[in-house]
Amino acid sequence: MHMTHIDPEALVASLRRLRTTSSATDIVHQLERAVDVVDTLFGYSGAGLMFAEEGRNLRYLVATDDRGRSLEGAQLHLGQGPCVSAYERNSAVTSTDVHADPRWPKLADRLHPDVRAVAGVPVRLGGEPVGTLNVYQSTPYEWDDSDVQALHGYADVIEQLLTAAMAAEEKSALADQLQYALDYRVVIERAIGYLMGKHDLTATQAFTGLRKQARDSRRRVADLAAEVLGEGAGELR
């Protein structure tokens, strides 16, 4: 499959509207929107965003689907992969097919079979990497310079979102919000498992439904997940 390439300048322009409403109080929601825009405009099979904690250990923050979560989860478990390498090297890293890439031989066993071509670029603040923007394709794909340039353009917009939030609030407040989102990934995973068991859903169906309900009600996915788990606990009393 060949992707439709978009001029990086047009790409950044299309995302500038994300900055108009950004503030420290809604930065996580803005980052989720930014990842969704990457996925939608380019026709990637999926996208995700990882951030580093204070100990510089990456954790995933946003993923557009269950397959993307398997990509980020597998890399974090093994401590290796194209996105981890992009963070460590502070440069773009691509793989035509991670299932056959000799650089990360253990990765394929932990990936969803539909995660094949992967590209990751660093997200920076002050020139230093603080995370990675990651995309994947469900079939092998030869990434070229226009792909990488466009992804760098999106990563630059994410940096601007973070910078704007930090200008509006103290840096510690932004860090607290990002840490909150990272910590609540566990709650989201548990809620997905609960919904799968209660409604006989796949992980993808449960995750998609949870995100849609959160958006429709203008709430954080993590807050809705906590409510779902609370209701489930009440049923068992």
Side-chain angles (χ1 to χ4, degrees):
M1 182 176 76
H2 187 74
M3 290 167 51
T4 300
H5 297 306
I6 299 177
D7 181 354
E9 292 184 3
L11 179 63
V12 173
S14 73
L15 282 173
R16 282 184 180 143
R17 69 180 183 276
L18 292 173
R19 299 171 55 197
T20 61
T21 59
S22 66
S23 69
T25 58
D26 65 358
I27 185 61
V28 174
H29 178 61
Q30 294 296 322
L31 293 174
E32 289 177 343
R33 288 180 59 197
V35 172
D36 283 338
V37 170
V38 174
D39 198 20
T40 302
L41 286 187
F42 276 91
Y44 294 126
S45 298
L49 190 63
M50 293 194 290
F51 272 92
E53 296 182 289
E54 289 186 5
R56 297 187 64 82
N57 294 318
L58 284 175
R59 290 179 65 183
Y60 93 85
L61 181 65
V62 180
T64 56
D65 58 19
D66 188 53
R67 293 172 295 183
R69 291 192 298 126
S70 84
L71 169 64
E72 299 187 349
Q75 292 182 98
L76 300 186
H77 180 82
L78 296 171
Q80 60 178 251
C83 309
V84 173
S85 294
Y87 172 73
E88 292 175 343
R89 299 178 185 177
N90 195 14
S91 64
V93 174
T94 64
S95 176
T96 301
D97 186 355
V98 287
H99 285 266
D101 199 316
R103 291 176 291 180
W104 311 290
K106 297 180 180 180
L107 191 59
D109 292 339
R110 293 183 171 273
L111 289 178
H112 190 287
D114 289 339
V115 176
R116 303 302 294 268
V118 176
V121 297
V123 174
R124 305 181 180 104
L125 277 177
E128 292 297 319
V130 295
T132 59
L133 173 64
N134 320 304
V135 296
Y136 77 88
Q137 292 282 41
S138 58
T139 58
Y141 176 75
E142 292 285 348
W143 307 95
D144 62 24
D145 288 344
S146 63
D147 292 308
V148 174
Q149 290 174 10
L151 287 173
H152 276 306
Y154 268 99
D156 287 346
V157 171
I158 291 173
E159 178 181 345
Q160 292 170 25
L161 289 173
L162 293 171
T163 301
M166 291 173 69
E169 297 284 342
E170 291 293 329
K171 182 177 180 179
S172 60
L174 174 60
D176 287 344
Q177 289 184 55
L178 291 176
Q179 189 64 50
Y180 169 88
L182 292 169
D183 291 341
Y184 268 74
R185 291 300 117 177
V186 175
V187 177
I188 293 172
E189 295 287 350
R190 290 178 57 201
I192 288 171
Y194 170 76
L195 293 172
M196 289 171 63
K198 182 177 181 180
H199 300 292
D200 193 24
L201 302 173
T202 66
T204 299
Q205 290 170 333
F207 180 59
T208 301
L210 193 66
R211 291 185 72 214
K212 183 179 185 303
Q213 186 175 344
R215 287 177 181 172
D216 290 346
S217 59
R218 298 176 180 268
R219 301 169 64 191
R220 293 177 177 176
V221 176
D223 293 339
L224 179 59
E227 182 177 307
V228 168
L229 290 174
E231 292 173 354
E235 292 173 0
L236 297 176
R237 291 174 185 168

